[in-house]
Amino acid sequence: MMGIFGIILTLMGMFVVESYQTEELVHNASYSVVFRLTQTGLTYAVNTILEKVKVQNISAYSFSCVNETTTSVNYYMESLQIIRYTNLNASASFEPDPSSRVNLTVHDLSVELQGKVRCTHRQRRVFTQNCTLKMEIRGSGYFLSHIGRNGGMFKLRMVKKDCHILPSNITINFTECDESVESESLCNNGSSDFIEQFRENRIGEAKLCLLLTFFINFKENKEMEDIDLLPAISKIPFGANLSMTKDPKYTNEYIETYHEGGIFWLSTGENYNVTPIDFTLHNDSSKMVYLWVSKSVTESFFEGIQIHGMLHYLITAQKVGSGLNTTCTKGVCVGRLVPELGKKFPKQYMDLEVYSIKNPTVKFQKNLAILGGKMVMFASIRDPISGVSFVIAKLTGEVQIQIKVNMRNLTLHGEVVSFEPSIEDITSPYVDFNSQTVNFILTGAVVVAIEPRLNDISALGSTGITLPVPKIELYNTTIDLIENAIVLGSDVEYIER
């Protein structure tokens, strides 16, 4: 079951932005991704999420060998185990000083414990009773913690000197007791004294803080260290390196963490260059979570796609319609615009096979991602009956693709709004098959069919890329493409599935 700081870090795995206020230019040489968890997000985590997440069977956190003696009864149990905590109301505040601390205040914390108890009369020791003891402890207070890093991983530590948790009320109930007449009320006889003994010897403030420190520094810190900072990117064979490259930053409104942002090929671990670029971090904290991703990360992503030959596309008449038919007399088509081909290869089709020959460039402008690239295209004539084809031309040129990016819940989508090829050079024995004619064919007959097709097959298209964050839904999500970064901001809701 996910603990409080595991949930908080799940939120920190979310994404970023909207309105711009006072801006701070970030100069960095080591990171390309910035996460921000605001006070609103942290407060939501401790106030709302823990209302839904109940910690049960925490066998590692128990009072072992409880042996307390009151005026008339000795209470002995091998262990008294925490079975759940509930009714947690909490608030959170950030410490703006360089000590980088998070102050968590808890109210009405209710902890339930259970154990098998043997009650023995102090004078008449033959009188014994075995029961199940259920105890509820209520308390409130505050403690301070620090979210930092251990190498590239998250690290969580309790600030021991700043822990104040005071038990305000203890109630006990004995159930499933032995029914012998002489001992039927034995456990209840000294229960009030037992509560005071237990309060004094077991749950003083120092001991509760020690228990809380153990819980945070071991269990919760283990969850932090287990957060996958090398996640696979959904539906494509890449992973992202989100290792922390510097210590988090604390302000009185948010925590920021800084991550490398490198892209790698999953099966081989092959890394692609990321050159962090300065980008602007606004000071808005109205959303729960924010994320900045440097433009360099997207360029690294496309470098990997280029290296592994994934920027390859076959355009056929079946995909774009009659425009690539060598025998046609109307509209924008090969047969009408290049009569020489129609006469020599009647009732056949032209196939265009396109390859990217250079890593695409990426530019963000007016909330559009603009990809620019160099391409080589081979034009072939294909007999639709025999399937035999042969190359008639080699074409080189450029292409520019404009993509509108949007976020729907946890899935990032990209809609191709413009596909603009530009042929610069053609090597072909057919004089009429020139740059002007081919560009006209591409823009007039092919592009109209290619753009929706790109939306269907592209990684960002109709299926999109889903963020690997479990049990979280986004709402009030915004996305901005500024000069050197993609910026997302969102509120989140925890969903127990």
Side-chain angles (χ1 to χ4, degrees):
M1 186 72 71
M2 185 180 295
I4 177 173
F5 283 98
I7 294 167
I8 289 170
L9 263 293
T10 294
L11 293 184
M12 294 181 76
M14 300 315 313
F15 292 169
V16 290
V17 56
E18 188 174 16
S19 62
Y20 288 22
Q21 300 174 5
T22 304
E23 296 182 340
E24 172 189 358
L25 187 62
V26 176
H27 300 282
N28 70 84
S30 62
Y31 56 89
S32 301
V33 174
V34 178
F35 290 96
R36 177 182 292 176
L37 174 67
T38 68
Q39 184 172 12
T40 305
L42 181 58
T43 302
Y44 173 80
V46 295
N47 284 348
T48 304
I49 296 179
L50 286 180
E51 294 291 329
K52 303 174 183 179
V53 179
K54 310 303 182 186
V55 176
Q56 299 183 5
N57 300 321
I58 315 176
S59 58
Y61 309 103
S62 60
F63 298 92
S64 61
C65 194
V66 176
N67 191 357
E68 303 291 347
T69 301
T70 69
T71 303
S72 57
V73 181
N74 171 256
Y75 294 85
Y76 176 82
M77 62 202 78
E78 290 186 359
S79 67
L80 184 61
Q81 182 174 314
I82 299 173
I83 56 173
R84 64 179 58 85
Y85 61 78
T86 58
N87 303 326
L88 177 64
N89 297 307
S91 59
S93 61
F94 294 95
E95 293 291 319
D97 58 57
S99 60
S100 302
R101 303 180 300 182
V102 178
N103 183 349
L104 294 175
T105 302
V106 295
H107 312 274
D108 302 323
L109 173 62
S110 175
V111 180
E112 295 180 31
L113 305 97
Q114 180 173 299
K116 296 291 185 181
V117 61
R118 184 174 72 249
C119 304
T120 303
H121 197 285
R122 290 192 63 188
Q123 281 76 37
R124 306 178 67 181
R125 301 190 64 81
V126 295
F127 284 5
T128 63
Q129 185 177 40
N130 297 297
C131 297
T132 295
L133 180 146
K134 292 186 177 180
M135 177 181 295
E136 181 182 44
I137 303 173
R138 290 187 174 273
S140 61
Y142 71 88
F143 63 92
L144 277 72
S145 60
H146 170 73
I147 298 173
R149 70 183 180 111
N150 181 13
M153 309 304 291
F154 283 106
K155 182 178 182 180
L156 177 65
R157 279 291 178 264
M158 180 86 163
V159 182
K160 295 181 181 179
K161 65 180 181 179
D162 288 309
C163 171
H164 299 278
I165 304 294
L166 295 173
S168 58
N169 186 38
I170 301 176
T171 59
I172 60 174
N173 183 31
F174 298 102
T175 64
E176 302 173 0
C177 294
D178 294 342
E179 296 182 355
S180 57
V181 175
E182 65 274 11
S183 60
E184 62 181 348
S185 301
L186 183 60
C187 287
N188 278 308
N189 285 343
S191 59
S192 60
D193 288 340
F194 171 67
I195 290 175
E196 292 307 313
Q197 294 277 10
F198 189 88
R199 184 197 305 274
E200 180 179 348
N201 297 331
R202 302 285 173 176
I203 59 166
E205 182 179 38
K207 293 181 180 179
L208 280 180
C209 285
L210 183 64
L211 179 64
L212 183 60
T213 300
F214 177 81
F215 183 79
I216 290 176
N217 288 356
F218 289 90
K219 183 180 184 300
E220 297 293 338
N221 182 58
K222 181 64 166 60
E223 287 189 12
M224 296 278 273
E225 291 178 341
D226 287 344
I227 292 173
D228 185 7
L229 294 180
L230 297 172
I233 302 175
S234 172
K235 301 174 185 176
I236 51 179
F238 293 93
N241 183 352
L242 297 178
S243 298
M244 300 173 70
T245 58
K246 60 177 289 188
D247 290 335
K249 172 185 175 181
Y250 286 69
T251 76
N252 61 346
E253 295 181 331
Y254 54 77
I255 303 173
E256 279 179 356
T257 61
Y258 306 93
H259 306 263
E260 180 179 319
I263 302 295
F264 61 92
W265 188 257
L266 274 178
S267 59
T268 64
E270 171 185 280
N271 289 287
Y272 310 111
N273 295 326
V274 172
T275 305
I277 301 174
D278 293 342
F279 47 81
T280 300
L281 301 181
H282 62 75
N283 282 336
D284 184 34
S285 59
S286 60
K287 301 285 187 182
M288 292 183 183
V289 287
Y290 293 86
L291 172 76
W292 286 259
V293 179
S294 168
K295 183 184 74 171
S296 179
V297 175
T298 63
E299 291 174 331
S300 174
F301 170 76
F302 282 107
E303 178 186 357
I305 287 180
Q306 168 70 31
I307 289 173
H308 286 273
M310 297 173 70
L311 295 178
H312 167 223
Y313 191 72
L314 178 63
I315 304 170
T316 66
Q318 286 86 342
K319 294 178 180 178
V320 302
S322 61
L324 295 181
N325 193 327
T326 61
T327 303
C328 58
T329 58
K330 296 180 180 180
V332 181
C333 66
V334 173
R336 177 173 171 269
L337 296 175
V338 192
E340 186 179 3
L341 292 179
K343 293 176 182 178
K344 192 163 186 177
F345 309 106
K347 296 182 180 180
Q348 299 198 20
Y349 297 111
M350 177 178 287
D351 294 336
L352 302 173
E353 194 160 11
V354 185
Y355 295 88
S356 170
I357 57 176
K358 185 179 180 181
N359 292 345
T361 60
V362 181
K363 181 170 63 174
F364 297 150
Q365 179 179 312
K366 294 182 179 178
N367 227 24
L368 291 174
I370 302 173
L371 308 182
K374 293 281 188 179
M375 68 175 178
V376 60
M377 180 186 298
F378 296 95
S380 302
I381 296 295
R382 173 171 51 85
D383 187 323
I385 298 175
S386 67
V388 174
S389 66
F390 54 93
V391 176
I392 63 163
K394 175 184 177 183
L395 310 89
T396 57
E398 297 183 347
V399 63
Q400 179 175 280
I401 302 175
Q402 295 186 4
I403 300 175
K404 183 178 181 180
V405 181
N406 62 81
M407 196 86 181
R408 297 197 290 272
N409 196 9
L410 285 174
T411 303
L412 190 66
H413 295 270
E415 177 188 357
V416 176
V417 295
S418 174
F419 179 85
E420 301 175 1
S422 176
I423 300 301
E424 298 172 343
D425 183 64
I426 297 179
T427 303
S428 174
Y430 303 99
V431 176
D432 290 340
F433 201 67
N434 54 48
S435 298
Q436 182 179 359
T437 300
V438 173
N439 279 323
F440 191 59
I441 292 171
L442 288 175
T443 56
V446 177
V447 170
V448 173
I450 287 180
E451 286 184 9
R453 181 71 176 165
L454 285 173
N455 285 326
D456 288 338
I457 68 169
S458 68
L460 281 177
S462 56
T463 55
I465 296 177
T466 301
L467 306 180
V469 184
K471 299 183 178 181
I472 289 292
E473 289 188 359
L474 304 183
Y475 66 97
N476 296 334
T477 303
T478 59
I479 182 168
D480 258 323
L481 275 66
I482 59 177
E483 181 180 0
N484 287 323
I486 300 175
V487 191
L488 298 98
S490 188
D491 293 322
V492 302
E493 182 177 3
Y494 180 81
I495 304 296
E496 182 67 68
R497 293 186 176 92

